[in-house]
Amino acid sequence: MAEFETDEEIIHSYKDGNSEKFNLLVERYTKPLYNFTARLSNKSDASDIVQESFVKAWKNIRRFDETKASFKTWIFTIAKNTTTDFLRKKKSLLFTDLEKEIGDSIISFEENIPDENLLPDDYLQKIQDAEVLNNTLEKLRVDYREVLILHYQEEMTFEEIGKILSKPLNTVKSQH
């Protein structure tokens, strides 16, 4: 039944004393957050960033206000900020300089799983397309990359992206 509960229903149950409910949110958002943070940093750091993001969310869940943002927007904002902080600490560089430091291999976990329904030629083409996409994304400024990943990979609206990135709607649209 948990897959049919909304994030807000799960949070209300958690706040009412059902401490196991937070695990449902972790299960629901681990993969999307991993993919998002891996594209902003690298795959080897993404797991640590996601874990730290969930710890921050857990510590602050009682202050979460669903009238200000959806849980999805809130957790992605935490993940974006955690990634920024993590990279600043690790590289001691400004965020705008980090795009030069991102590793060559940022294909998401999901793209590494072979689709058994594809023929070998189709699978090879899919891998090549993913590499072209990742190489193209690497060349973009981080603020453009964030918008594209959140919109196309995480299927967020421009309004949700604006809240996550703390940018006006028109800025998000023009960066798209």
Side-chain angles (χ1 to χ4, degrees):
M1 302 301 166
E3 65 255 11
F4 300 112
E5 288 182 281
T6 66
D7 295 341
E8 286 71 24
E9 290 170 335
I10 293 170
I11 292 168
H12 286 294
S13 293
Y14 178 80
K15 287 180 178 180
D16 289 340
N18 188 344
S19 60
E20 295 298 314
K21 287 291 188 172
F22 191 80
N23 293 335
L24 297 175
L25 296 171
V26 172
E27 290 172 15
R28 189 173 285 178
Y29 287 101
T30 295
K31 186 175 178 180
L33 289 177
Y34 176 84
N35 290 334
F36 175 62
T37 58
R39 289 184 178 270
L40 294 179
S41 60
N42 60 58
K43 291 192 302 187
S44 63
D45 292 334
S47 294
D48 291 338
I49 294 168
V50 170
Q51 183 177 0
E52 189 174 336
S53 298
F54 279 119
V55 168
K56 289 178 181 179
W58 176 74
K59 286 180 178 178
N60 294 292
I61 193 78
R62 300 221 178 265
R63 294 192 319 222
F64 169 72
D65 183 357
E66 64 190 60
T67 62
K68 292 182 180 178
S70 69
F71 179 78
K72 182 177 182 179
T73 301
W74 188 66
I75 193 69
F76 270 87
T77 302
I78 291 171
K80 181 217 175 270
N81 293 337
T82 303
T83 303
T84 301
D85 293 344
F86 185 89
L87 292 173
R88 281 186 179 150
K89 289 176 192 172
K90 183 176 178 181
K91 299 290 184 178
S92 299
L93 297 172
L94 295 173
F95 190 71
T96 53
D97 293 333
L98 288 172
E99 60 195 38
K100 297 173 189 164
E101 299 293 320
I102 294 175
D104 293 332
S105 160
I106 60 168
I107 298 174
S108 72
F109 175 75
E110 189 174 72
E111 293 167 338
N112 284 324
I113 299 173
D115 184 351
E116 295 176 2
N117 297 324
L118 294 177
L119 296 172
D121 288 344
D122 294 334
Y123 181 68
L124 180 61
Q125 184 63 49
K126 185 176 178 180
I127 291 172
Q128 290 171 341
D129 290 347
E131 288 175 5
V132 168
L133 175 63
N134 285 326
N135 288 335
T136 303
L137 282 172
E138 280 183 36
K139 294 175 185 172
L140 294 176
R141 287 188 2 212
V142 172
D143 49 348
Y144 294 148
R145 188 179 331 144
E146 290 171 336
V147 170
L148 293 174
I149 292 168
L150 290 171
H151 185 68
Y152 290 105
Q153 182 179 342
E154 301 305 328
E155 299 176 354
M156 292 186 182
T157 65
F158 292 134
E159 186 175 298
E160 289 174 316
I161 295 168
K163 288 179 183 176
I164 290 170
L165 302 178
S166 301
K167 294 181 181 179
L169 179 61
N170 287 333
T171 301
V172 171
K173 287 180 178 179
S174 67
Q175 289 177 338
H176 173 261

